[in-house]
């Protein structure tokens, strides 16, 4: 192991902005969104998308509501060039969608790029060059003045070539690549040079896109950098200030959010954070974060599953099951305390309430998800989740003490299986434990009964099978449950009962019973179309559980 590896690194210097304003601001409107899934996202793939996949993903981006979409790097990829030509020649770009094409600041690439979009109604030409000291010194061997001359020359070329094609509404985007590592004065000089060369003004805006090409500092530092640029850019009223945050430090979303507070009007990113190296900002997460703050993001993720499946099929990159808002398990709680809180939250919620739900910052229904997987049960789960699933899927509302009893039985099962237990298996375990235990534990098996009036209130003649032989038991009590308890050979005490309706409409009776003089109560349940029969079955099942050794 290298001793003191941290000694190889040095912290990023702070930004001199003592009167920063972004910390006291709030986001009240969505930014202009640009999807770079077809370019930056495509460059992140083991196997880049073919034409068919690119066209399919483009259609999904349009459906979601993106009004600016980066189509590719046509000077570097024939597939990108062909896709762009196909979209333009077949009139597949809606009138309210502006395509963008990317090029390095090199004449032959610029010319090829502009050729790729001939005939388009409106286009953003995105030109970039690296500006940071490390790149100037090591990669390009270029001084600041030489770098600024490059910007002026290449933007002037773009202006000349686009002015020669007046049938298209041309827009320019300039990115000082490696902005996050560049001296602010140098970044400002590069952007202002592009502004002048493009002659930005009324009806002729310019987009300045500030990327965290490599994250090298905390998000607040990036916000300071963006606010500094926002204050100092020339012709600011004609500049659309954009950000493109990567995720090297895992804070791409935070960088974009703070940048919006700092003056950014536009955000570039990919649906699920795909992008070179560690990826770039996750637009789904960023957009739905706005949604949970009461700000409509201007994008339609009401069927997030469909968007996710299309993205996975086109990119061959899986979405993590715990991905915010989207992952298959993101709305799922296995923890017992979480499940109990969620169950109580749903019980307390009324129609028209603001969404306030423990552990669920967004209503799954708002992104097209069901409540099916909110609570799932494994060995980490508790009584709340078990009770929630039985109530939701099978109409069983267990008394609290029954929840405690049954959760121990489920825990034993999940510990042994070392796996999740499904809602159906949970119901089967409930049936085995409470509804069929008389048969399973050699108890008194019900055959028929006759009820009639008695001085005590109710009398019963109860026909059962015991040890393979028929018997008729008789008892009296204030109600059917007490009458059955008195008829049994063991002295049984009924401590409580619940009358419910089973999922199929039958009566479902739950009783809590104990042997006389014993503190150890057990639950039993009975289900039948006839309420009295369900009550009798519940008492017999409770008696069988009390008689079983050891009691389950």
């Amino acid at each position: 192991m290298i001793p003191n590896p941290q000694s190889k690194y040095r912290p990023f210097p702070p930004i001199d902005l003592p009167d920063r304003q972004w910390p006291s601001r709030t986001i009240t409107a969505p930014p202009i969104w640009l999807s770079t899934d077809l370019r930056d996202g495509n460059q992140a793939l083991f196997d880049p998308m073919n034409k068919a996949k690119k066209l399919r993903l483009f259609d999904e981006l349009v459906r979601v509501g993106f009004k600016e979409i980066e189509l590719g790097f046509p000077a570097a990829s024939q597939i990108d060039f062909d896709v762009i030509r196909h979209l333009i020649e077949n009139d597949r770009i809606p009138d309210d969608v502006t395509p963008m094409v990317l090029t390095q600041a090199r004449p032959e690439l610029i010319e090829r790029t502009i050729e790729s979009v001939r005939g388009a109604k409106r286009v953003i030409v995105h030109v970039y060059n690296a500006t940071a000291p490390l790149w100037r010194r090591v990669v390009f061997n270029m001084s600041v003045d030489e770098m600024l001359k490059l910007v002026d020359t290449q933007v002037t070329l773009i202006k000349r070539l686009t002015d020669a094609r007046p049938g298209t509404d041309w827009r320019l985007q300039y990115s000082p690549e490696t902005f996050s590592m560049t001296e602010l004065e140098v970044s400002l000089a590069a952007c202002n040079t592009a502004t002048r060369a493009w002659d930005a003004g009324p009806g002729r805006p310019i987009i300045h896109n500030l990327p965290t090409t490599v994250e090298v500092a905390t998000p607040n530092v990036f916000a300071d950098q963006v606010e500094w640029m926002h204050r100092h850019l020339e012709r600011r009223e004609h500049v659309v200030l954009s950000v493109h945050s990567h995720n090297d430090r895992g804070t791409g979303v935070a960088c974009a959010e703070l940048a919006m507070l700092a003056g950014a009007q536009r955000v570039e990113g990919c649906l699920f954070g795909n992008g070179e190296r560690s990826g770039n900002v996750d637009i789904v997460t960023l957009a739905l974060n706005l949604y949970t703050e009461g700000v409509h993001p201007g994008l339609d993720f009401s069927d997030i599953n469909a968007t996710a499946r299309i993205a996975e099929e086109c990119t061959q990159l899986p979405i993590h099951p715990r991905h915010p808002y989207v992952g298959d398990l993101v709305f799922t709680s296995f923890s017992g305390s979480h499940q109990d809180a969620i169950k109580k939250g749903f019980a307390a919620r009324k129609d028209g309430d603001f969404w306030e739900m423990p552990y669920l910052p967004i209503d799954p229904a708002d992104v097209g998800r069901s409540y099916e997987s909110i609570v799932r049960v494994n060995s980490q789960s508790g009584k709340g989740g078990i009770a929630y699933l039985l109530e939701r899927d099978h109409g069983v509302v267990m008394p609290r003490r029954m929840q405690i009893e049954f959760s121990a039985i489920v825990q034993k099962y999940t510990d042994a299986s070392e796996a999740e237990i499904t809602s159906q298996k949970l119901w089967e375990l409930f049936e085995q434990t409470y509804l069929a235990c008389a048969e399973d534990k050699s108890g008194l098996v019900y055959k028929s009964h006759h009820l009639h009036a008695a001085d005590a209130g109710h009398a019963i003649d109860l026909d059962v099978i015991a040890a393979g032989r028929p018997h008729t038991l008789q008892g009296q009590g204030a109600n059917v449950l007490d009458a059955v308890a008195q008829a049994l050979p063991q002295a049984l005490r009924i401590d409580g009962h619940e009358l419910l309706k089973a999922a199929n409409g039958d009566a479902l009776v739950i009783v809590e019973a104990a042997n006389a003089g014993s503190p150890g109560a057990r639950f039993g349940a009975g289900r039948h179309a006839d309420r009295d029969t369900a009550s009798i079955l519940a008492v017999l099942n409770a008696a069988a559980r009390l008689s079983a050794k050891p009691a389950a």
Side-chain angles (χ1 to χ4, degrees):
M1 180 176 177
I2 300 173
N4 300 317
Q6 72 277 8
S7 63
K8 297 193 308 183
Y9 306 96
R10 54 188 173 186
F12 194 82
I15 307 301
D16 183 17
L17 195 69
D19 59 340
R20 58 183 59 83
Q21 300 298 309
W22 63 262
S24 61
R25 294 176 181 153
T26 57
I27 300 172
T28 58
I32 300 166
W33 301 106
L34 175 123
S35 163
T36 186
D37 289 86
L38 300 178
R39 197 275 302 170
D40 204 341
N42 192 48
Q43 289 177 302
L45 306 181
F46 296 109
D47 300 308
M49 288 180 279
N50 59 24
K51 181 178 178 181
K53 288 179 178 178
K54 278 205 160 197
L55 292 173
R56 186 180 184 207
L57 188 52
F58 173 83
D59 288 340
E60 178 62 12
L61 295 170
V62 170
R63 187 199 68 76
V64 164
F66 285 96
K67 301 306 179 186
E68 295 185 1
I69 300 173
E70 188 173 39
L71 301 183
F73 203 152
S77 166
Q78 187 61 45
I79 290 178
D80 284 9
F81 190 98
D82 292 343
V83 166
I84 293 166
R85 293 310 312 152
H86 176 89
L87 289 169
I88 294 171
E89 291 169 2
N90 290 276
D91 198 24
R92 288 186 56 175
I93 302 174
D95 289 342
D96 62 347
V97 173
T98 302
M100 186 169 84
V101 285
L102 178 73
T103 179
Q104 292 172 310
R106 290 166 49 187
E108 69 279 11
L109 300 182
I110 289 171
E111 291 172 0
R112 175 73 169 165
T113 300
I114 291 175
E115 174 62 21
S116 75
V117 290
R118 69 182 185 278
K121 299 171 185 175
R122 185 170 57 249
V123 176
I124 300 169
V125 178
H126 179 192
V127 63
Y128 71 95
N129 66 289
T131 55
L134 180 62
W135 274 255
R136 297 195 312 258
R137 183 179 73 250
V138 174
V139 181
F140 299 112
N141 190 26
M142 186 177 286
S143 68
V144 171
D145 286 343
E146 289 171 326
M147 183 270 292
L148 295 177
K149 183 176 180 181
L150 171 72
V151 174
D152 179 72
T153 300
Q154 303 310 323
V155 172
T156 298
L157 173 62
I158 294 171
K159 182 177 184 299
R160 178 171 60 80
L161 293 174
T162 55
D163 284 350
R165 297 173 183 261
T168 297
D169 179 4
W170 296 99
R171 304 179 185 185
L172 179 72
Q173 173 168 315
Y174 172 69
S175 290
E177 193 197 8
T178 65
F179 164 79
S180 53
M181 303 170 68
T182 302
E183 312 95 311
L184 284 171
E185 293 79 4
V186 173
S187 293
L188 181 66
C191 288
N192 286 342
T193 297
T195 297
R196 297 176 203 134
W198 182 246
D199 193 22
R204 190 178 176 83
I206 187 170
I207 301 167
H208 284 314
N209 185 55
L210 308 179
T212 55
T213 305
V214 181
E215 280 195 306
V216 292
T218 50
N220 61 296
V221 172
F222 183 59
D224 283 349
Q225 292 173 313
V226 172
E227 183 169 334
W228 192 94
M229 292 290 288
H230 167 60
R231 295 187 190 185
H232 292 87
L233 282 167
E234 289 182 4
R235 311 185 196 183
R236 181 63 184 88
E237 68 275 21
H238 306 302
V239 172
V240 176
L241 190 58
S242 175
V243 290
H244 181 123
S245 52
H246 278 251
N247 205 41
D248 304 86
R249 296 166 59 100
T251 59
V253 168
C255 280
E257 288 180 325
L258 298 191
M260 285 191 282
L261 296 174
Q265 303 151 281
R266 181 177 180 270
V267 172
E268 297 188 353
C270 294
L271 283 174
F272 302 107
N274 298 331
E276 293 183 277
R277 303 187 322 279
S278 57
N280 53 13
V281 73
D282 181 330
I283 284 186
V284 171
T285 299
L286 190 57
L288 293 178
N289 283 354
L290 290 179
Y291 194 59
T292 64
E293 294 296 314
V295 177
H296 196 293
L299 298 174
D300 180 4
F301 293 123
S302 60
D303 189 359
I304 198 64
N305 286 348
T307 301
R309 297 296 86 83
I310 290 173
E312 286 182 320
E313 291 167 12
C314 291
T315 65
Q316 297 299 297
L317 290 180
I319 294 172
H320 194 281
R322 292 290 185 183
H323 185 290
Y325 304 113
V326 183
D328 290 340
L329 294 178
V330 71
F331 295 119
T332 298
S333 290
F334 288 105
S335 163
S337 61
H338 289 201
Q339 292 173 342
D340 184 61
I342 291 170
K343 178 178 181 292
K344 291 174 180 175
F346 272 107
R349 179 169 170 75
K350 299 180 178 62
D351 289 343
D353 286 352
F354 282 107
W355 181 258
E356 293 181 315
M357 187 64 61
Y359 302 109
L360 294 174
I362 193 172
D363 186 348
D366 289 338
V367 290
R369 300 283 288 271
S370 73
Y371 298 140
E372 286 294 316
S373 64
I374 287 178
V375 171
R376 291 164 63 173
V377 175
N378 63 14
S379 61
Q380 302 298 305
S381 306
K383 64 183 184 302
I386 295 165
Y388 174 82
L389 290 180
L390 284 175
E391 181 177 350
R392 185 194 69 188
D393 297 341
H394 308 288
V396 178
V397 182
M398 293 189 292
R400 179 171 175 78
R401 287 191 298 277
M402 189 182 192
Q403 294 178 29
I404 296 171
E405 182 184 88
F406 188 49
S407 67
I409 295 168
V410 175
Q411 179 79 37
K412 184 177 179 181
Y413 175 88
T414 54
D415 281 342
S417 67
E418 298 182 351
E420 177 185 355
I421 183 172
T422 65
S423 176
Q424 180 57 38
K425 185 62 183 178
L426 197 65
W427 172 247
E428 292 172 6
L429 198 58
F430 182 89
E431 284 187 308
Q432 294 166 11
T433 303
Y434 297 112
L435 290 168
C437 45
E439 291 93 336
D440 294 344
K441 302 181 185 302
S442 300
L444 301 175
V445 179
Y446 171 82
K447 297 300 292 181
S448 65
H449 73 276
H450 174 64
L451 288 170
H452 51 91
D455 292 341
H458 290 77
I460 189 168
D461 298 324
L462 179 60
D463 296 324
V464 298
I465 300 294
R469 299 179 61 185
H471 294 269
T472 298
L473 308 176
Q474 295 180 324
Q476 295 185 26
N479 52 49
V480 174
L481 295 171
D482 288 338
V484 176
Q486 291 298 317
L488 299 182
Q490 67 204 88
L492 201 67
R493 181 183 76 248
I494 303 298
D495 289 340
H497 74 280
E498 301 280 346
L499 173 63
L500 308 170
K501 183 174 287 187
N504 65 352
D506 285 351
L508 177 66
V509 175
I510 295 172
V511 300
E512 184 179 15
N515 290 321
S518 171
R522 291 286 182 270
F523 286 88
R527 181 181 58 189
H528 198 274
D530 174 65
R531 170 181 172 178
D532 290 335
T533 303
S535 298
I536 295 166
L537 292 171
V539 175
L540 294 179
N541 282 320
R545 295 190 66 235
L546 284 164
S547 300
K549 301 295 183 183

